[in-house]
Short mmCIF file of all heavy atoms in Angstrom, two decimals:
data_model
loop_
_atom_site.label_atom_id
_atom_site.label_comp_id
_atom_site.label_asym_id
_atom_site.label_seq_id
_atom_site.Cartn_x
_atom_site.Cartn_y
_atom_site.Cartn_z
N MET A 1 14.73 -4.12 21.93
CA MET A 1 14.47 -4.22 20.50
C MET A 1 13.93 -2.89 19.97
O MET A 1 13.00 -2.34 20.53
CB MET A 1 13.46 -5.35 20.26
CG MET A 1 13.09 -5.54 18.82
SD MET A 1 12.01 -6.95 18.63
CE MET A 1 10.54 -6.14 18.11
N ASN A 2 14.55 -2.38 18.93
CA ASN A 2 14.09 -1.13 18.33
C ASN A 2 12.97 -1.41 17.34
O ASN A 2 13.08 -2.29 16.49
CB ASN A 2 15.25 -0.43 17.61
CG ASN A 2 16.23 0.20 18.57
OD1 ASN A 2 15.89 0.48 19.71
ND2 ASN A 2 17.44 0.40 18.12
N ARG A 3 11.90 -0.63 17.48
CA ARG A 3 10.78 -0.76 16.55
C ARG A 3 10.90 0.30 15.47
O ARG A 3 11.40 1.40 15.72
CB ARG A 3 9.46 -0.60 17.30
CG ARG A 3 9.27 -1.69 18.33
CD ARG A 3 7.94 -1.67 19.05
NE ARG A 3 7.40 -0.37 19.35
CZ ARG A 3 6.09 -0.10 19.36
NH1 ARG A 3 5.22 -1.04 19.09
NH2 ARG A 3 5.66 1.10 19.64
N THR A 4 10.42 -0.02 14.29
CA THR A 4 10.44 0.95 13.20
C THR A 4 9.38 2.01 13.45
O THR A 4 8.42 1.78 14.22
CB THR A 4 10.14 0.26 11.85
OG1 THR A 4 8.80 -0.24 11.88
CG2 THR A 4 11.13 -0.86 11.57
N PRO A 5 9.51 3.17 12.82
CA PRO A 5 8.46 4.19 12.96
C PRO A 5 7.09 3.65 12.56
O PRO A 5 6.08 3.98 13.18
CB PRO A 5 8.92 5.30 12.00
CG PRO A 5 10.40 5.15 11.94
CD PRO A 5 10.65 3.66 12.04
N GLU A 6 7.06 2.80 11.55
CA GLU A 6 5.80 2.21 11.11
C GLU A 6 5.18 1.35 12.22
O GLU A 6 3.98 1.45 12.50
CB GLU A 6 6.03 1.37 9.85
CG GLU A 6 4.76 0.82 9.25
CD GLU A 6 5.01 0.13 7.93
OE1 GLU A 6 5.73 0.69 7.07
OE2 GLU A 6 4.48 -0.98 7.77
N GLN A 7 6.00 0.54 12.86
CA GLN A 7 5.52 -0.29 13.96
C GLN A 7 5.02 0.56 15.12
O GLN A 7 4.01 0.24 15.75
CB GLN A 7 6.62 -1.23 14.45
CG GLN A 7 6.96 -2.34 13.49
CD GLN A 7 8.20 -3.10 13.92
OE1 GLN A 7 9.16 -2.52 14.43
NE2 GLN A 7 8.19 -4.41 13.70
N LYS A 8 5.72 1.65 15.40
CA LYS A 8 5.31 2.54 16.49
C LYS A 8 3.94 3.15 16.22
O LYS A 8 3.17 3.38 17.15
CB LYS A 8 6.35 3.64 16.69
CG LYS A 8 7.65 3.15 17.29
CD LYS A 8 8.64 4.29 17.42
CE LYS A 8 9.98 3.79 17.95
NZ LYS A 8 10.95 4.88 18.06
N LEU A 9 3.65 3.44 14.95
CA LEU A 9 2.36 4.02 14.61
C LEU A 9 1.24 2.98 14.59
O LEU A 9 0.12 3.26 14.99
CB LEU A 9 2.44 4.72 13.25
CG LEU A 9 3.22 6.03 13.24
CD1 LEU A 9 3.48 6.49 11.82
CD2 LEU A 9 2.48 7.10 14.03
N LEU A 10 1.55 1.80 14.07
CA LEU A 10 0.52 0.78 13.96
C LEU A 10 0.24 0.06 15.28
O LEU A 10 -0.87 -0.43 15.50
CB LEU A 10 0.90 -0.24 12.87
CG LEU A 10 0.94 0.32 11.46
CD1 LEU A 10 1.44 -0.73 10.48
CD2 LEU A 10 -0.44 0.82 11.04
N GLU A 11 1.25 0.02 16.15
CA GLU A 11 1.10 -0.63 17.46
C GLU A 11 1.69 0.29 18.53
O GLU A 11 2.75 0.02 19.09
CB GLU A 11 1.84 -1.97 17.46
CG GLU A 11 1.36 -2.94 16.40
CD GLU A 11 2.33 -4.09 16.18
OE1 GLU A 11 3.25 -4.29 17.00
OE2 GLU A 11 2.16 -4.79 15.17
N PRO A 12 0.99 1.40 18.82
CA PRO A 12 1.55 2.37 19.76
C PRO A 12 1.66 1.81 21.18
O PRO A 12 0.86 0.98 21.61
CB PRO A 12 0.57 3.53 19.70
CG PRO A 12 -0.67 2.99 19.14
CD PRO A 12 -0.30 1.80 18.32
N ALA A 13 2.66 2.29 21.88
CA ALA A 13 2.86 1.90 23.28
C ALA A 13 1.73 2.49 24.12
O ALA A 13 1.36 3.65 23.94
CB ALA A 13 4.21 2.39 23.78
N PRO A 14 1.17 1.69 25.01
CA PRO A 14 0.09 2.20 25.86
C PRO A 14 0.53 3.42 26.67
O PRO A 14 1.65 3.46 27.20
CB PRO A 14 -0.22 1.03 26.79
CG PRO A 14 0.37 -0.18 26.14
CD PRO A 14 1.52 0.31 25.30
N GLY A 15 -0.32 4.42 26.71
CA GLY A 15 -0.04 5.62 27.50
C GLY A 15 0.83 6.64 26.82
O GLY A 15 1.05 7.72 27.35
N GLY A 16 1.32 6.35 25.61
CA GLY A 16 2.17 7.29 24.90
C GLY A 16 1.38 8.30 24.09
O GLY A 16 0.15 8.22 23.97
N LYS A 17 2.09 9.25 23.54
CA LYS A 17 1.45 10.30 22.73
C LYS A 17 0.78 9.73 21.48
O LYS A 17 -0.28 10.20 21.08
CB LYS A 17 2.48 11.37 22.32
CG LYS A 17 3.09 12.12 23.47
CD LYS A 17 2.10 13.08 24.05
CE LYS A 17 2.75 13.90 25.14
NZ LYS A 17 1.81 14.77 25.81
N ILE A 18 1.40 8.73 20.88
CA ILE A 18 0.81 8.13 19.67
C ILE A 18 -0.48 7.41 20.02
O ILE A 18 -1.48 7.53 19.30
CB ILE A 18 1.82 7.19 18.98
CG1 ILE A 18 3.03 7.99 18.50
CG2 ILE A 18 1.17 6.46 17.81
CD1 ILE A 18 4.18 7.15 17.97
N ALA A 19 -0.50 6.72 21.14
CA ALA A 19 -1.72 6.05 21.59
C ALA A 19 -2.82 7.08 21.88
O ALA A 19 -3.99 6.86 21.57
CB ALA A 19 -1.44 5.20 22.82
N GLU A 20 -2.42 8.22 22.45
CA GLU A 20 -3.38 9.31 22.71
C GLU A 20 -3.98 9.82 21.41
O GLU A 20 -5.18 10.06 21.32
CB GLU A 20 -2.69 10.48 23.42
CG GLU A 20 -2.57 10.34 24.90
CD GLU A 20 -1.99 11.60 25.53
OE1 GLU A 20 -2.44 12.72 25.19
OE2 GLU A 20 -1.07 11.45 26.35
N ALA A 21 -3.14 10.00 20.41
CA ALA A 21 -3.61 10.48 19.11
C ALA A 21 -4.60 9.48 18.51
O ALA A 21 -5.63 9.86 17.96
CB ALA A 21 -2.43 10.69 18.17
N GLN A 22 -4.29 8.21 18.64
CA GLN A 22 -5.17 7.16 18.12
C GLN A 22 -6.51 7.18 18.86
O GLN A 22 -7.57 7.10 18.23
CB GLN A 22 -4.49 5.81 18.27
CG GLN A 22 -5.16 4.69 17.52
CD GLN A 22 -4.35 3.40 17.63
OE1 GLN A 22 -3.90 3.03 18.70
NE2 GLN A 22 -4.16 2.75 16.50
N LYS A 23 -6.48 7.32 20.18
CA LYS A 23 -7.71 7.39 20.97
C LYS A 23 -8.53 8.61 20.60
O LYS A 23 -9.76 8.58 20.63
CB LYS A 23 -7.40 7.41 22.46
CG LYS A 23 -7.04 6.07 23.03
CD LYS A 23 -6.78 6.19 24.53
CE LYS A 23 -6.27 4.88 25.09
NZ LYS A 23 -5.90 4.99 26.51
N PHE A 24 -7.85 9.69 20.25
CA PHE A 24 -8.52 10.93 19.86
C PHE A 24 -9.26 10.76 18.54
O PHE A 24 -10.19 11.48 18.23
CB PHE A 24 -7.49 12.06 19.77
CG PHE A 24 -8.08 13.41 19.47
CD1 PHE A 24 -8.79 14.09 20.44
CD2 PHE A 24 -7.91 13.99 18.23
CE1 PHE A 24 -9.34 15.34 20.17
CE2 PHE A 24 -8.45 15.23 17.95
CZ PHE A 24 -9.17 15.91 18.93
N GLY A 25 -8.82 9.76 17.74
CA GLY A 25 -9.51 9.49 16.49
C GLY A 25 -8.67 9.65 15.24
O GLY A 25 -9.19 9.55 14.13
N LEU A 26 -7.38 9.92 15.38
CA LEU A 26 -6.52 10.04 14.21
C LEU A 26 -6.32 8.67 13.57
O LEU A 26 -6.05 7.69 14.27
CB LEU A 26 -5.17 10.64 14.57
CG LEU A 26 -5.18 12.09 15.03
CD1 LEU A 26 -3.78 12.55 15.35
CD2 LEU A 26 -5.80 13.00 14.00
N ASP A 27 -6.44 8.60 12.27
CA ASP A 27 -6.22 7.35 11.54
C ASP A 27 -4.73 7.27 11.20
O ASP A 27 -4.27 7.82 10.20
CB ASP A 27 -7.07 7.32 10.28
CG ASP A 27 -7.00 5.99 9.56
OD1 ASP A 27 -6.16 5.14 9.92
OD2 ASP A 27 -7.79 5.80 8.62
N LEU A 28 -3.99 6.60 12.05
CA LEU A 28 -2.54 6.53 11.89
C LEU A 28 -2.14 5.69 10.68
O LEU A 28 -1.03 5.84 10.17
CB LEU A 28 -1.91 5.98 13.16
CG LEU A 28 -2.20 6.82 14.42
CD1 LEU A 28 -1.65 6.13 15.67
CD2 LEU A 28 -1.67 8.22 14.30
N SER A 29 -3.03 4.85 10.20
CA SER A 29 -2.71 4.05 9.02
C SER A 29 -2.52 4.94 7.79
O SER A 29 -1.76 4.60 6.88
CB SER A 29 -3.79 3.00 8.75
OG SER A 29 -5.01 3.62 8.37
N LEU A 30 -3.18 6.10 7.77
CA LEU A 30 -2.99 7.03 6.65
C LEU A 30 -1.58 7.62 6.66
O LEU A 30 -0.98 7.84 5.61
CB LEU A 30 -4.03 8.15 6.70
CG LEU A 30 -5.48 7.72 6.52
CD1 LEU A 30 -6.42 8.90 6.74
CD2 LEU A 30 -5.69 7.09 5.16
N ILE A 31 -1.05 7.86 7.85
CA ILE A 31 0.32 8.36 7.96
C ILE A 31 1.29 7.29 7.48
O ILE A 31 2.22 7.57 6.72
CB ILE A 31 0.63 8.78 9.41
CG1 ILE A 31 -0.25 9.97 9.79
CG2 ILE A 31 2.11 9.13 9.57
CD1 ILE A 31 -0.19 10.35 11.26
N VAL A 32 1.04 6.05 7.89
CA VAL A 32 1.90 4.94 7.47
C VAL A 32 1.84 4.80 5.95
O VAL A 32 2.88 4.63 5.30
CB VAL A 32 1.48 3.62 8.17
CG1 VAL A 32 2.20 2.43 7.57
CG2 VAL A 32 1.75 3.72 9.66
N GLU A 33 0.64 4.89 5.39
CA GLU A 33 0.48 4.78 3.93
C GLU A 33 1.33 5.82 3.21
O GLU A 33 2.00 5.52 2.23
CB GLU A 33 -0.99 4.96 3.58
CG GLU A 33 -1.31 4.87 2.11
CD GLU A 33 -2.78 5.14 1.83
OE1 GLU A 33 -3.63 4.70 2.61
OE2 GLU A 33 -3.06 5.80 0.82
N ASN A 34 1.32 7.05 3.71
CA ASN A 34 2.10 8.12 3.08
C ASN A 34 3.59 7.94 3.31
O ASN A 34 4.41 8.28 2.45
CB ASN A 34 1.65 9.49 3.57
CG ASN A 34 0.46 9.98 2.80
OD1 ASN A 34 0.43 9.91 1.58
ND2 ASN A 34 -0.54 10.46 3.50
N MET A 35 3.97 7.38 4.47
CA MET A 35 5.39 7.14 4.73
C MET A 35 5.97 6.11 3.76
O MET A 35 7.16 6.14 3.46
CB MET A 35 5.58 6.63 6.17
CG MET A 35 5.42 7.69 7.22
SD MET A 35 5.42 7.05 8.92
CE MET A 35 6.88 6.06 8.97
N ARG A 36 5.13 5.22 3.27
CA ARG A 36 5.59 4.18 2.34
C ARG A 36 5.83 4.73 0.94
O ARG A 36 6.50 4.08 0.13
CB ARG A 36 4.57 3.04 2.28
CG ARG A 36 4.50 2.25 3.56
CD ARG A 36 3.42 1.20 3.49
NE ARG A 36 3.39 0.41 4.72
CZ ARG A 36 2.39 -0.38 5.06
NH1 ARG A 36 1.34 -0.50 4.27
NH2 ARG A 36 2.44 -1.07 6.18
N LEU A 37 5.29 5.91 0.65
CA LEU A 37 5.46 6.51 -0.67
C LEU A 37 6.78 7.26 -0.76
O LEU A 37 7.28 7.78 0.24
CB LEU A 37 4.31 7.49 -0.94
CG LEU A 37 2.90 6.93 -1.00
CD1 LEU A 37 1.90 8.08 -1.13
CD2 LEU A 37 2.74 5.93 -2.12
N SER A 38 7.29 7.34 -1.96
CA SER A 38 8.48 8.17 -2.17
C SER A 38 8.06 9.64 -2.09
O SER A 38 6.87 9.97 -2.25
CB SER A 38 9.07 7.90 -3.56
OG SER A 38 8.19 8.38 -4.56
N PRO A 39 9.00 10.55 -1.85
CA PRO A 39 8.64 11.97 -1.83
C PRO A 39 7.95 12.41 -3.13
O PRO A 39 6.99 13.18 -3.10
CB PRO A 39 9.98 12.67 -1.65
CG PRO A 39 10.82 11.68 -0.90
CD PRO A 39 10.40 10.35 -1.46
N GLU A 40 8.42 11.90 -4.26
CA GLU A 40 7.81 12.26 -5.55
C GLU A 40 6.37 11.77 -5.62
O GLU A 40 5.48 12.48 -6.10
CB GLU A 40 8.62 11.68 -6.71
CG GLU A 40 10.01 12.27 -6.86
CD GLU A 40 11.04 11.65 -5.93
OE1 GLU A 40 10.76 10.62 -5.27
OE2 GLU A 40 12.15 12.21 -5.85
N ALA A 41 6.11 10.56 -5.12
CA ALA A 41 4.75 10.02 -5.14
C ALA A 41 3.84 10.82 -4.21
O ALA A 41 2.67 11.04 -4.51
CB ALA A 41 4.76 8.55 -4.74
N ARG A 42 4.39 11.29 -3.09
CA ARG A 42 3.59 12.11 -2.17
C ARG A 42 3.20 13.42 -2.84
O ARG A 42 2.07 13.89 -2.69
CB ARG A 42 4.39 12.42 -0.90
CG ARG A 42 4.57 11.24 0.00
CD ARG A 42 5.33 11.64 1.25
NE ARG A 42 6.05 10.47 1.75
CZ ARG A 42 7.02 10.51 2.62
NH1 ARG A 42 7.43 11.67 3.11
NH2 ARG A 42 7.61 9.41 3.01
N VAL A 43 4.14 14.02 -3.58
CA VAL A 43 3.84 15.27 -4.28
C VAL A 43 2.77 15.04 -5.34
O VAL A 43 1.82 15.82 -5.46
CB VAL A 43 5.12 15.88 -4.90
CG1 VAL A 43 4.79 17.02 -5.85
CG2 VAL A 43 6.06 16.36 -3.81
N ARG A 44 2.90 13.95 -6.10
CA ARG A 44 1.89 13.64 -7.13
C ARG A 44 0.51 13.44 -6.49
O ARG A 44 -0.50 13.91 -7.01
CB ARG A 44 2.28 12.40 -7.92
CG ARG A 44 3.37 12.65 -8.95
CD ARG A 44 3.51 11.49 -9.93
NE ARG A 44 3.82 10.23 -9.26
CZ ARG A 44 5.05 9.81 -8.97
NH1 ARG A 44 6.10 10.56 -9.28
NH2 ARG A 44 5.25 8.64 -8.38
N LYS A 45 0.47 12.75 -5.37
CA LYS A 45 -0.79 12.49 -4.67
C LYS A 45 -1.40 13.82 -4.21
O LYS A 45 -2.61 14.04 -4.34
CB LYS A 45 -0.53 11.57 -3.49
CG LYS A 45 -1.75 11.11 -2.76
CD LYS A 45 -1.37 10.11 -1.68
CE LYS A 45 -2.56 9.69 -0.86
NZ LYS A 45 -2.21 8.77 0.22
N LEU A 46 -0.58 14.70 -3.66
CA LEU A 46 -1.05 16.00 -3.21
C LEU A 46 -1.54 16.84 -4.38
O LEU A 46 -2.60 17.48 -4.30
CB LEU A 46 0.06 16.74 -2.45
CG LEU A 46 -0.27 18.14 -1.97
CD1 LEU A 46 -1.45 18.13 -1.01
CD2 LEU A 46 0.95 18.77 -1.29
N GLN A 47 -0.80 16.83 -5.49
CA GLN A 47 -1.21 17.60 -6.66
C GLN A 47 -2.54 17.09 -7.20
O GLN A 47 -3.41 17.88 -7.59
CB GLN A 47 -0.14 17.53 -7.75
CG GLN A 47 1.07 18.37 -7.43
CD GLN A 47 2.19 18.19 -8.45
OE1 GLN A 47 2.34 17.14 -9.04
NE2 GLN A 47 2.98 19.24 -8.64
N SER A 48 -2.73 15.78 -7.20
CA SER A 48 -3.98 15.20 -7.67
C SER A 48 -5.14 15.64 -6.76
O SER A 48 -6.22 16.00 -7.25
CB SER A 48 -3.88 13.68 -7.69
OG SER A 48 -5.10 13.10 -8.03
N ALA A 49 -4.92 15.62 -5.47
CA ALA A 49 -5.95 16.06 -4.53
C ALA A 49 -6.28 17.53 -4.73
O ALA A 49 -7.45 17.93 -4.69
CB ALA A 49 -5.50 15.80 -3.10
N MET A 50 -5.25 18.35 -4.96
CA MET A 50 -5.46 19.78 -5.17
C MET A 50 -6.26 20.03 -6.45
O MET A 50 -7.16 20.88 -6.47
CB MET A 50 -4.12 20.52 -5.22
CG MET A 50 -3.44 20.61 -3.88
SD MET A 50 -1.75 21.25 -3.92
CE MET A 50 -1.90 22.72 -4.91
N MET A 51 -5.95 19.28 -7.51
CA MET A 51 -6.69 19.43 -8.77
C MET A 51 -8.15 19.03 -8.58
O MET A 51 -9.06 19.70 -9.08
CB MET A 51 -6.03 18.62 -9.88
CG MET A 51 -4.73 19.23 -10.35
SD MET A 51 -3.73 18.28 -11.54
CE MET A 51 -4.87 17.30 -12.43
N SER A 52 -8.39 17.96 -7.85
CA SER A 52 -9.77 17.53 -7.57
C SER A 52 -10.51 18.60 -6.78
O SER A 52 -11.68 18.89 -7.06
CB SER A 52 -9.78 16.21 -6.80
OG SER A 52 -9.24 15.18 -7.58
N PHE A 53 -9.84 19.17 -5.81
CA PHE A 53 -10.45 20.23 -5.01
C PHE A 53 -10.79 21.44 -5.88
O PHE A 53 -11.88 22.02 -5.75
CB PHE A 53 -9.53 20.64 -3.87
CG PHE A 53 -10.06 21.78 -3.06
CD1 PHE A 53 -11.11 21.59 -2.17
CD2 PHE A 53 -9.53 23.06 -3.19
CE1 PHE A 53 -11.62 22.65 -1.44
CE2 PHE A 53 -10.03 24.11 -2.46
CZ PHE A 53 -11.08 23.92 -1.58
N GLU A 54 -9.88 21.82 -6.75
CA GLU A 54 -10.14 22.98 -7.63
C GLU A 54 -11.33 22.72 -8.55
O GLU A 54 -12.15 23.61 -8.78
CB GLU A 54 -8.88 23.32 -8.44
CG GLU A 54 -7.76 23.92 -7.62
CD GLU A 54 -8.14 25.24 -6.95
OE1 GLU A 54 -8.88 26.05 -7.55
OE2 GLU A 54 -7.70 25.46 -5.81
N LYS A 55 -11.44 21.50 -9.08
CA LYS A 55 -12.59 21.15 -9.93
C LYS A 55 -13.89 21.23 -9.13
O LYS A 55 -14.90 21.77 -9.60
CB LYS A 55 -12.43 19.74 -10.50
CG LYS A 55 -11.41 19.64 -11.59
CD LYS A 55 -11.30 18.21 -12.08
CE LYS A 55 -10.17 18.04 -13.08
NZ LYS A 55 -10.00 16.64 -13.49
N LEU A 56 -13.87 20.69 -7.92
CA LEU A 56 -15.05 20.73 -7.06
C LEU A 56 -15.44 22.17 -6.74
O LEU A 56 -16.62 22.54 -6.78
CB LEU A 56 -14.76 19.95 -5.78
CG LEU A 56 -15.89 19.86 -4.77
CD1 LEU A 56 -17.08 19.11 -5.35
CD2 LEU A 56 -15.40 19.15 -3.52
N LYS A 57 -14.44 22.98 -6.45
CA LYS A 57 -14.68 24.40 -6.14
C LYS A 57 -15.30 25.11 -7.34
O LYS A 57 -16.24 25.89 -7.19
CB LYS A 57 -13.35 25.04 -5.74
CG LYS A 57 -13.47 26.38 -5.08
CD LYS A 57 -12.14 26.76 -4.45
CE LYS A 57 -11.52 27.91 -5.18
NZ LYS A 57 -10.26 28.37 -4.61
N ALA A 58 -14.78 24.82 -8.53
CA ALA A 58 -15.31 25.46 -9.74
C ALA A 58 -16.76 25.03 -9.99
O ALA A 58 -17.61 25.85 -10.34
CB ALA A 58 -14.44 25.10 -10.94
N GLU A 59 -17.05 23.75 -9.80
CA GLU A 59 -18.41 23.25 -9.99
C GLU A 59 -19.36 23.87 -8.97
O GLU A 59 -20.50 24.23 -9.31
CB GLU A 59 -18.45 21.73 -9.90
CG GLU A 59 -17.84 21.03 -11.09
CD GLU A 59 -18.54 21.36 -12.41
OE1 GLU A 59 -19.79 21.40 -12.43
OE2 GLU A 59 -17.84 21.57 -13.41
N ALA A 60 -18.92 24.01 -7.75
CA ALA A 60 -19.75 24.62 -6.71
C ALA A 60 -20.03 26.08 -7.04
O ALA A 60 -21.14 26.58 -6.84
CB ALA A 60 -19.08 24.50 -5.35
N SER A 61 -19.02 26.76 -7.57
CA SER A 61 -19.19 28.15 -7.95
C SER A 61 -20.19 28.29 -9.10
O SER A 61 -21.05 29.16 -9.07
CB SER A 61 -17.84 28.74 -8.36
OG SER A 61 -17.98 30.08 -8.74
N LYS A 62 -20.08 27.40 -10.10
CA LYS A 62 -21.04 27.41 -11.21
C LYS A 62 -22.45 27.18 -10.71
O LYS A 62 -23.39 27.83 -11.12
CB LYS A 62 -20.69 26.32 -12.22
CG LYS A 62 -19.54 26.61 -13.12
CD LYS A 62 -19.39 25.45 -14.10
CE LYS A 62 -18.04 25.41 -14.73
NZ LYS A 62 -17.86 24.21 -15.57
N SER A 63 -22.58 26.22 -9.81
CA SER A 63 -23.89 25.86 -9.27
C SER A 63 -24.50 27.02 -8.52
O SER A 63 -25.69 27.29 -8.67
CB SER A 63 -23.74 24.64 -8.37
OG SER A 63 -24.98 24.33 -7.78
N SER A 64 -23.72 27.71 -7.72
CA SER A 64 -24.27 28.82 -6.94
C SER A 64 -24.60 30.01 -7.85
O SER A 64 -25.52 30.77 -7.57
CB SER A 64 -23.32 29.24 -5.82
OG SER A 64 -22.15 29.82 -6.35
N ASN A 65 -23.87 30.17 -8.97
CA ASN A 65 -24.15 31.28 -9.89
C ASN A 65 -25.42 31.03 -10.69
O ASN A 65 -26.10 31.97 -11.05
CB ASN A 65 -22.97 31.48 -10.84
CG ASN A 65 -21.79 32.13 -10.15
OD1 ASN A 65 -21.94 32.77 -9.12
ND2 ASN A 65 -20.61 31.94 -10.70
N THR A 66 -25.76 29.79 -10.99
CA THR A 66 -26.97 29.50 -11.76
C THR A 66 -28.21 29.57 -10.89
O THR A 66 -29.30 29.72 -11.41
CB THR A 66 -26.90 28.09 -12.41
OG1 THR A 66 -26.56 27.13 -11.43
CG2 THR A 66 -25.92 28.06 -13.56
N ARG A 67 -28.07 29.53 -9.60
CA ARG A 67 -29.22 29.64 -8.70
C ARG A 67 -29.68 31.09 -8.51
O ARG A 67 -30.76 31.34 -8.06
CB ARG A 67 -28.89 29.06 -7.33
CG ARG A 67 -28.72 27.58 -7.36
CD ARG A 67 -28.48 27.06 -5.97
NE ARG A 67 -27.93 25.72 -6.04
CZ ARG A 67 -27.46 25.06 -5.02
NH1 ARG A 67 -27.44 25.62 -3.82
NH2 ARG A 67 -26.99 23.86 -5.14
N ARG A 68 -28.84 32.01 -8.86
CA ARG A 68 -29.17 33.42 -8.64
C ARG A 68 -30.09 33.94 -9.68
O ARG A 68 -30.32 33.74 -10.72
CB ARG A 68 -27.90 34.27 -8.59
CG ARG A 68 -27.07 33.95 -7.37
CD ARG A 68 -25.85 34.80 -7.37
NE ARG A 68 -25.03 34.38 -6.22
CZ ARG A 68 -23.85 34.84 -5.96
NH1 ARG A 68 -23.30 35.72 -6.75
NH2 ARG A 68 -23.19 34.43 -4.93
#
């Protein structure tokens, strides 16, 4: 029986590379979540994260400049 990529990530075969990654601490459910999105939705999600990061960076810069 062939398993889908999603099944392979959520229920990795014992002793395999995916199981090793899971034991190492990688949250494979996040990969599955992104696989369920369309490419356009992934780009929008990434752009939103980048904008949030830029805002945070700007606020941190303002904060460090007012301390001087």
Side-chain angles (χ1 to χ4, degrees):
M1 179 175 114
N2 287 337
R3 298 184 322 147
T4 65
E6 185 174 313
Q7 289 171 323
K8 289 178 183 179
L9 288 168
L10 294 175
E11 301 165 13
K17 297 287 184 185
I18 296 172
E20 276 186 47
Q22 192 175 46
K23 283 182 186 175
F24 184 73
L26 293 180
D27 186 350
L28 301 175
S29 67
L30 296 174
I31 295 172
V32 170
E33 180 183 321
N34 276 314
M35 285 172 52
R36 290 176 179 165
L37 297 174
S38 68
E40 293 82 9
R42 289 182 208 164
V43 169
R44 283 193 301 273
K45 186 176 176 182
L46 178 60
Q47 286 175 329
S48 175
M50 289 172 49
M51 287 173 28
S52 295
F53 177 74
E54 289 299 323
K55 287 179 186 176
L56 181 63
K57 194 167 111 178
E59 288 300 318
S61 179
K62 283 183 199 175
S63 176
S64 68
N65 286 338
T66 51
R67 291 184 197 171
R68 292 180 184 175

